[in-house]
Amino acid sequence: MAASLTSLVDDLSKYGESFQVFLDSSSEHQTIKSFINGPLTNILASIGEGKPTLNVLGVGSGSGEIDLEIIRQIQLRHPEAKVDNEVVEPSSDMLDKYKDLVSKTSDLDQVTFTWNNMKASEFEKTWKERNPDKKMDFIHMIQALYYVEDPESAILFFQSLLQKNGKLLLILVSGEGSWAKLWKTFGTLFGKNDTSQSVTMGDIKSLLDSRGVPYQKYQLPSRMDITSCFTPGDEKGELLLDFLTEVQGFRKSAPPELTAAVLDLLRRPDCSKEEDGRVIFNNNLEALLLNP
Ligand code: CQA
């Protein structure tokens, strides 16, 4: 990593600003919600076996929009059941937003929330003492495995918490999408620090395959309009470029040759397509479902 490049993760308010531009420019949340309200519905119907309370665990839940979509779908499939929802999220700002969202959402009377303001590895350490016998009907880790120290052991731990008929859902960028190309080409040049690693679902499938762990997989097509990145000085474009590279103020701080090379790759047909004069980046995701 070039010493002059500062990771975006080092300033969470800047990260949040860039993330918001990303959400506004991409279909990411719509893509995930369509999966939850499409292919996942049958799976959510199959969990729990008529138990009065379904145990749900979200890992890296962020501000909770996606979690509440999952809970809504579980309630539609199990109208009689209560939901015991455990949330693991290391950022207390995110947890505050999540609690805010809960207080503004109706129809959650049957849902209890347990807030675990900690990393997945800390949760794992305390879990066995607190709840030696508790098992989960549904666990999800959505766009979260980039931030755990050891993705493989995290997956195996959460899989071990599953109840019979339970499911573990993982969502990550596809190994064939443009994030993977960007990381393969520039990985170490960007401002990566220990907080975030460039892992794709291709890597996760290799890990699981070599252990003989079976899974179901789903492709989740997703896109991001990066046209504004090609207009120097465009406020949103600069924030999006920061998000893509995970570098604060990328265009101002990176060597000009690196900036040119990144913009060139972003425009190439194996990264993006042109549509009605817009540059559309391949943000495809992949979902895996694991059994206990
Ligand atoms: C921190 C870390 C990650 C965050 C965050 C704060 C995040 C979103 C918002 N705030 Cl300290 N993560 C996130 C979520 C979805 C997503 C990406 C990041 O698509 C972009 N990635 C590239 C595929 C992950 C590296």
Side-chain angles (χ1 to χ4, degrees):
M1 162 181 165
S4 59
L5 299 183
T6 310
S7 170
L8 193 57
V9 183
D10 292 344
D11 183 332
L12 289 190
S13 88
K14 289 208 171 84
Y15 196 106
E17 220 187 329
S18 279
F19 184 60
Q20 196 51 54
V21 177
F22 165 69
L23 288 182
D24 295 343
S25 318
S26 75
S27 64
E28 173 128 326
H29 270 184
Q30 199 42 58
T31 295
I32 297 173
K33 286 180 182 174
S34 303
F35 175 70
I36 293 167
N37 298 314
L40 197 62
T41 52
N42 285 333
I43 288 143
L44 293 176
S46 75
I47 62 171
E49 304 180 280
K51 283 181 6 201
T53 302
L54 299 187
N55 293 335
V56 178
L57 169 61
V59 185
S61 290
S63 46
E65 289 94 346
I66 301 292
D67 287 37
L68 293 193
E69 196 74 14
I70 292 172
I71 288 172
R72 195 179 70 86
Q73 196 53 244
I74 290 177
Q75 291 189 296
L76 285 170
R77 302 292 135 187
H78 304 270
E80 309 296 313
K82 293 183 168 22
V83 174
D84 173 331
N85 187 48
E86 295 254 4
V87 179
V88 178
E89 169 55 50
S91 158
S92 42
D93 284 355
M94 288 291 167
L95 271 188
D96 288 343
K97 286 193 186 158
Y98 194 151
K99 290 174 190 172
D100 218 46
L101 184 62
V102 168
S103 73
K104 291 185 186 128
T105 307
S106 51
D107 301 323
L108 291 175
D109 320 337
Q110 299 300 310
V111 187
T112 57
F113 292 85
T114 306
W115 309 104
N116 300 277
N117 186 189
M118 60 185 77
K119 302 202 273 183
S121 54
E122 293 161 342
F123 179 79
E124 176 172 353
K125 262 181 233 145
T126 54
W127 179 259
K128 286 173 182 139
E129 299 148 28
R130 278 169 46 217
N131 301 290
D133 302 319
K134 186 170 174 186
K135 293 283 177 184
M136 294 293 165
D137 297 296
F138 192 68
I139 304 177
H140 52 90
M141 299 185 83
I142 298 174
Q143 295 286 49
L145 281 169
Y146 316 105
Y147 310 107
V148 304
E149 287 133 56
D150 183 347
E152 184 173 27
S153 79
I155 293 170
L156 296 175
F157 166 66
F158 288 112
Q159 185 186 30
S160 79
L161 298 188
L162 289 175
Q163 178 84 265
K164 176 170 173 276
N165 282 337
K167 295 279 183 188
L168 169 60
L169 169 66
L170 309 174
I171 294 183
L172 221 53
V173 290
S174 158
E176 279 80 49
S178 301
W179 286 102
K181 299 220 165 79
L182 196 59
W183 292 340
K184 221 172 269 166
T185 313
F186 298 107
T188 53
L189 291 172
F190 293 161
K192 287 273 167 200
N193 66 9
D194 305 342
T195 327
S196 163
Q197 33 177 335
S198 312
V199 54
T200 73
M201 201 58 106
D203 304 320
I204 301 301
K205 286 190 291 186
S206 304
L207 292 175
L208 297 176
D209 289 344
S210 69
R211 284 185 167 267
V213 177
Y215 49 80
Q216 292 164 269
K217 58 178 181 194
Y218 301 84
Q219 306 301 326
L220 280 51
S222 180
R223 46 200 273 143
M224 166 169 32
D225 185 333
I226 59 167
T227 314
S228 61
C229 294
F230 299 94
T231 307
D234 182 293
E235 198 187 337
K236 296 213 154 131
E238 302 292 3
L239 291 170
L240 206 49
L241 205 48
D242 292 359
F243 189 75
L244 282 158
T245 58
E246 263 186 48
V247 174
Q248 281 180 44
F250 177 75
R251 202 191 298 260
K252 290 209 179 82
S253 52
E257 316 79 62
L258 178 57
T259 309
V262 168
L263 290 171
D264 179 64
L265 177 66
L266 287 176
R267 237 202 167 112
R268 279 215 294 269
D270 56 342
C271 242
S272 298
K273 59 182 178 185
E274 262 193 68
E275 233 177 70
D276 307 324
R278 315 291 302 173
V279 186
I280 308 297
F281 181 90
N282 176 331
N283 186 55
N284 286 0
L285 311 177
E286 196 168 346
L288 299 189
L289 277 159
L290 276 65
N291 297 320

